[in-house]
Amino acid sequence: GEGGGVRVGSSGQGGGGDPPGGSGQVLIEYDVDGSQEWVEAANLRPEPPPTASELPWLSRLAKGELAELWYEGGWWEVILQARAGSKFQVLAARYNKIHSATAAELRPWWQRDEAGAWCYTLQRKTRTAEQWRAALLASQSRSRMNDRVCGINGCTIVNVTASQGAATETKAGVPQTPPPPSGCRLAGSSTLASAALQTSAAPSGRASRCR
């Protein structure tokens, strides 16, 4: 496990008493309760960067992949077993113990690459924190732009990109509408601005989704 925050005291190279295991150990103090402990310097690392709450990293975490669970004042390595609504079932393999955790109690399994940059793995891909941030935000943006809502009066496309929403022109200069989403058909005018989008399968007066 990893403490939720520690302060390094003496290094065993003079001052602060002698480490019980000899040189190479440092005295640390845990923020959670103020207790102190001598540990091997090689087992310490800087604190990982905070995980931005707006990043949908958990939606990419595959079954069997590693994450870290906040438990009893520290971060512990766990393996994703299953999702159940807003809860995540994770396994602390070292202790053979199952936990039910919320999203707020989980963070990526942080590691450092050869250059010292923080990175983590999702869907078998390992990227740096900045690379994952860019990829996840781009994916989130595409998902929002592709949102299509169908209602009683037909299908309305919302949050589309400029290329999706703009009418295209033929070589002769005649405006044409982009093709409707799968599961919907165009009815009425030839321009997207005045065309009514209707579902081809939904009964009249019943809301549905276009996919």
Side-chain angles (χ1 to χ4, degrees):
E2 177 186 325
V6 298
R7 288 189 290 274
V8 178
S10 303
S11 63
Q13 302 296 327
D18 295 326
S23 60
Q25 290 190 325
V26 295
L27 180 65
I28 63 172
E29 180 179 299
Y30 293 95
D31 290 343
V32 65
D33 59 6
S35 62
Q36 295 184 341
E37 180 184 9
W38 287 98
V39 299
E40 294 291 335
N43 292 334
L44 295 176
R45 68 175 186 177
E47 187 175 1
T51 305
S53 59
E54 73 273 13
L55 295 182
W57 70 275
L58 271 171
S59 65
R60 294 282 194 93
L61 188 68
K63 181 180 179 180
E65 288 188 327
L66 292 167
E68 294 181 1
L69 168 70
W70 178 257
Y71 180 71
E72 292 187 346
W75 290 100
W76 303 82
E77 181 182 297
V78 294
I79 302 171
L80 178 64
Q81 299 291 289
R83 291 177 168 86
S86 61
K87 293 293 188 71
F88 300 84
Q89 187 179 77
V90 296
L91 168 67
R94 186 179 302 178
Y95 307 99
N96 195 30
K97 187 173 182 180
I98 297 288
H99 297 268
S100 180
T102 65
E105 294 170 319
L106 295 170
R107 75 178 185 183
W109 182 58
W110 288 106
Q111 298 295 299
R112 301 182 78 184
D113 62 18
E114 294 180 355
W118 288 105
C119 57
Y120 56 94
T121 302
L122 297 174
Q123 295 181 344
R124 314 297 188 264
K125 297 179 181 178
T126 301
R127 297 174 176 172
T128 66
E130 288 303 314
Q131 289 171 338
W132 271 125
R133 179 179 180 83
L136 291 171
L137 289 178
S139 175
Q140 190 178 57
S141 178
R142 287 194 299 270
S143 176
R144 288 174 177 171
M145 287 189 293
N146 289 332
D147 186 22
R148 295 170 172 89
V149 180
C150 289
I152 294 176
N153 295 323
C155 178
T156 303
I157 301 179
V158 295
N159 295 330
V160 296
T161 62
S163 60
Q164 290 173 309
T168 59
E169 288 187 352
T170 64
K171 291 182 179 180
V174 179
Q176 294 183 335
T177 59
S182 176
C184 297
R185 59 184 173 82
L186 283 173
S189 172
S190 62
T191 62
L192 183 63
S194 58
L197 285 171
Q198 297 179 344
T199 61
S200 57
S204 175
R206 181 178 299 176
S208 64
R209 290 190 63 84
C210 296
R211 303 182 186 279

